[in-house]
Amino acid sequence: MLFLLSLMTAVGLGNAAAFDKKQASSSSVVPQYYQTSPEPYPGPTATASMAPFLAQTDTVSFASGTLAVNAPLQTAYPITGNTNNSNIFELMGQLSSYFPNPVGFGVNEYSLPPSANISTVHLLSRHGARYPTSDVSVATFGSKVYNLTRNGTAQWTGALSFLNTWRYTLGAEILVARGRQEMFDSGVLFYYNYGSLYNTSKKILARTTTQDRMLKSAEYFMAGMFGLEWTNNVTLINTIEQNYYNNSLAGYFQCNNSNNYRSTGGNNASLVWENIYLANATRRLRAFSGNYNWTVADSYNAQTLCPYETVAYGYSNWCNLFTFDEWQGFEYSIDLQFQGNDGFGSPTGRAVGIGYVEELYARLQGHLYNLPAGATNANVTIDTNNATFPLGQTLYMDFSHDTNIFSIITALGLKQFADQLSNSSITPNRNVTISHMTPFGARVVFEQITTPQPLKATRPKTANATMADFYNSGNQTSYMHMTISQRTVPLGFSYPECGLRDDGWCEMGTFMNVLGGLLNTARYQYSCFGNYTVPGYGAVNNGVPVTKRALGGGMGSGLERKSNSDEYLYRM
Ligand SMILES: *[C@@H]1O[C@H](CO)[C@@H](O)[C@H](O)[C@H]1NC(C)=O
Ligand SMILES: *[C@@H]1O[C@H](CO)[C@@H](O)[C@H](O)[C@H]1NC(C)=O
Ligand SMILES: *[C@@H]1O[C@H](CO)[C@@H](O)[C@H](O)[C@H]1NC(C)=O
Ligand SMILES: *[C@@H]1O[C@H](CO)[C@@H](O)[C@H](O)[C@H]1NC(C)=O
Ligand SMILES: *[C@@H]1O[C@H](CO)[C@@H](O)[C@H](O)[C@H]1NC(C)=O
Ligand SMILES: *[C@@H]1O[C@H](CO)[C@@H](O)[C@H](O)[C@H]1NC(C)=O
Ligand SMILES: *[C@@H]1O[C@H](CO)[C@@H](O)[C@H](O)[C@H]1NC(C)=O
Ligand SMILES: *[C@@H]1O[C@H](CO)[C@@H](O)[C@H](O)[C@H]1NC(C)=O
Ligand SMILES: *[C@@H]1O[C@H](CO)[C@@H](O)[C@H](O)[C@H]1NC(C)=O
Ligand SMILES: *[C@@H]1O[C@H](CO)[C@@H](O)[C@H](O)[C@H]1NC(C)=O
Ligand SMILES: *[C@@H]1O[C@H](CO)[C@@H](O)[C@H](O)[C@H]1NC(C)=O
Ligand SMILES: *[C@@H]1O[C@H](CO)[C@@H](O)[C@H](O)[C@H]1NC(C)=O
């Protein structure tokens, strides 16, 4: 073994995780998808130009406002209007650090009924907290603020006095310390929940992408789940994450229309909303900007820097410039963006997520992915090979991005999340709340459960219930139970075939029938590459183009890519 390891190091394998002995001795060339070090296609990896020094540098003033503790970082901020000590850090959409969904999705949680068994679990995880993605407007904003200070245009006073010495110092794209912790913690929790499903005699495949934060998120997760020797337990398959490569875990790279104006309805709606909810804040901050005319876009960038600096440094002076209501407005702006860019409000919402859905469908049927190239954005080379497409496992673990996971939820046809969101006021009681669905370290879990007989739709309320209170007579039955952020997604709300069950489960055969229809609904080729027009805000509501196939069909022109990242904030 020692010899083997040094051989692997000698041929540049570094992390020997991905290898078994046969491969190592028969070949000195590591296939790209097994290679973890050095990393192929890692994307940008800029780290911060300043290290945290919270104990010395925290300059947040506690002169006014109500304390809001930033769990789990355990830093604190005064927030005006936060009358009930809520956590503004749970109002930051995809920039919130993971927390379990506090309100659920419409049903209660139930423990497993007697004699039921969980047989298989599929995890779809987001990466952990990170620096801003490369093209995000906060870096340009940071440069502008510094220029304004340096060239004397702005004279910062009052609440903006800190800008006289502030510099933008964040890195880009890669995990911050909090993100590493988040993924480790997620692996620990996953182990407590499902460790028994791991067969210690068999190494299993788990899937992530080559991007630095994606690969490392998977590695930190595995370390939390199995310990530092996790490479004995799991082989990571790292699909290339780059423009024009097929990758179901980063599906927008091979979907032109998801990167052009056709899929920016969410950004457009958010801009309208920002001008409303940030009008007061913009007036307030303008009064502290001297000759510089502070804009709404500046306010939005300022607000966006709060979560980013906080996960990088432990605190940020930007956080307490905004009232509690304005944080609720911020949360809503992100819900608008996701719904309109990546969800049911986007003509490419389903297409981007359908590759993963079809992989799941194949896996649940016990065979390799078998659709022709071009049917979805799945990588056919990787998906048609037993050495790289996981099958026959009891535990499956996949790692992806926020917008991609939201598109997978869309491609699954979970219409519970098809809310039409107003761009002029916060839609109350909406189901799309991104911080409850795809925060940093997000997790979607599918549990396959077998019961000895069909389980009644109404769960008994008494603790002394008997088997007859649980089961109808009949044969052994299987169910799908889906959770997001540790709360049940009631499948019957979106799939009437499943029935309205207390526990939100769906009988497996019924669930599979639903999955069988999703590829056609997604219209992958047309949606991603068709030349169609996009009607006004609100008209797209099923995650596919609303125009007729006959109107378009040409291969697309869309070349304005949004970003090589999981977030699109092009402001400034
Ligand atoms: C706290 O107050 C805000 C604003 O008034 C409200 O929206 C929120 O629901 C309250 N949270 C709790 C837990 O009461
Ligand atoms: C939101 O979810 C609830 C269940 O919590 C459901 O009754 C309702 O129909 C959903 N709303 C939309 C717009 O789908
Ligand atoms: C700030 O000034 C530098 C140097 O003059 C310039 O390169 C940069 O583009 C400016 N940034 C912005 C956002 O204007
Ligand atoms: C100062 O910097 C800002 C931001 O880069 C720029 O827009 C402005 O033109 C500059 N003003 C002067 C006087 O150089
Ligand atoms: C990981 O694999 C090793 C070697 O097969 C095994 O001894 C160990 O129990 C596994 N770890 C867990 C947490 O199951
Ligand atoms: C699929 O993955 C393989 C292995 O990394 C790679 O060589 C190939 O270029 C990928 N194909 C596409 C279409 O992205
Ligand atoms: C702006 O402030 C005014 C006065 O305090 C208040 O009445 C109004 O509701 C605020 N508007 C928004 C959008 O917060
Ligand atoms: C500042 O900008 C706002 C909106 O962009 C505009 O209405 C206002 O006239 C500007 N003020 C000055 C002094 O230029
Ligand atoms: C791949 O795995 C499937 C399911 O276990 C099996 O049916 C198939 O024969 C395998 N194919 C190869 C080439 O090993
Ligand atoms: C179950 O317990 C409840 C009280 O908790 C009692 O009222 C009821 O009679 C019990 N049912 C049976 C079948 O024992
Ligand atoms: C149970 O399974 C048996 C054998 O497959 C079948 O004949 C019977 O119809 C099933 N019963 C029900 C209620 O589905
Ligand atoms: C797309 O459709 C528009 C309007 O029908 C047309 O003007 C344009 O030439 C088409 N572009 C391509 C690339 O087919």
Side-chain angles (χ1 to χ4, degrees), residues 366-368 384-387 389 391-392:
H367 62 70
L368 294 171
T384 55
N385 180 346
N386 280 34
F389 186 75
L391 265 187

Side-chain angles (χ1 to χ4, degrees), residues 356-425:
Y356 183 87
V357 169
E358 293 305 315
E359 290 172 340
L360 179 68
Y361 186 45
R363 181 198 288 173
L364 289 170
Q365 294 176 96
H367 62 70
L368 294 171
Y369 176 93
N370 60 5
L371 297 174
T376 77
N377 53 25
N379 181 308
V380 170
T381 312
I382 286 182
D383 281 6
T384 55
N385 180 346
N386 280 34
T388 48
F389 186 75
L391 265 187
Q393 302 184 173
T394 46
L395 282 178
Y396 295 89
M397 292 164 278
D398 298 314
F399 296 82
S400 181
H401 293 272
D402 50 2
T403 55
N404 201 68
I405 293 173
F406 198 63
S407 291
I408 290 167
I409 289 167
T410 307
L412 281 168
L414 294 174
K415 291 184 187 162
Q416 173 179 8
F417 301 109
D419 310 63
Q420 299 265 11
L421 300 179
S422 160
N423 60 6
S424 59
S425 64

Side-chain angles (χ1 to χ4, degrees), residues 144 147-148 151 153:
K144 185 174 90 175
N147 288 356
L148 289 167
N151 70 20
T153 304

Side-chain angles (χ1 to χ4, degrees), residues 85-264:
N85 199 21
S86 293
N87 186 351
I88 60 163
F89 294 92
E90 295 181 356
L91 296 174
M92 296 180 177
Q94 90 285 21
L95 304 182
S96 282
S97 281
Y98 178 75
F99 62 104
N101 174 347
V103 296
F105 295 108
V107 289
N108 289 322
E109 307 305 314
Y110 291 86
S111 51
L112 216 58
S115 301
N117 292 308
I118 300 178
S119 57
T120 309
V121 167
H122 311 255
L123 166 73
L124 174 60
S125 169
R126 187 186 175 202
H127 58 75
R130 52 157 170 74
Y131 292 120
T133 45
S134 304
D135 295 341
V136 138
S137 58
V138 286
T140 323
F141 171 73
S143 160
K144 185 174 90 175
V145 165
Y146 179 62
N147 288 356
L148 289 167
T149 311
R150 226 174 20 167
N151 70 20
T153 304
Q155 301 81 40
W156 311 111
T157 58
L160 291 182
S161 298
F162 73 95
L163 289 182
N164 290 309
T165 52
W166 179 84
R167 294 293 305 271
Y168 180 88
T169 49
L170 296 171
E173 305 272 355
I174 59 176
L175 294 178
V176 295
R178 169 66 193 139
R180 303 197 282 265
Q181 179 190 8
E182 232 158 18
M183 297 314 293
F184 187 88
D185 286 354
S186 183
V188 169
L189 178 61
F190 198 71
Y191 184 71
Y192 280 117
N193 274 325
Y194 304 114
S196 183
L197 288 177
Y198 176 72
N199 174 350
T200 51
S201 67
K202 193 173 171 237
K203 212 166 145 177
I204 58 176
L205 301 181
R207 306 187 310 155
T208 186
T209 82
T210 56
Q211 200 188 52
D212 184 81
R213 70 172 173 278
M214 291 298 303
L215 177 59
K216 285 178 178 157
S217 286
E219 291 176 330
Y220 283 110
F221 179 97
M222 296 309 166
M225 181 164 180
F226 294 104
L228 291 176
E229 287 79 34
W230 64 268
T231 55
N232 293 324
N233 309 92
V234 170
T235 298
L236 289 179
I237 305 299
N238 316 305
T239 304
I240 297 171
E241 176 163 354
Q242 274 288 301
N243 276 344
Y244 311 120
Y245 280 93
N246 278 341
N247 188 339
S248 61
L249 301 171
Y252 31 83
F253 278 113
Q254 189 58 288
C255 181
N256 290 355
N257 287 334
S258 80
N259 300 303
N260 64 36
Y261 67 92
R262 292 190 174 90
S263 297
T264 56

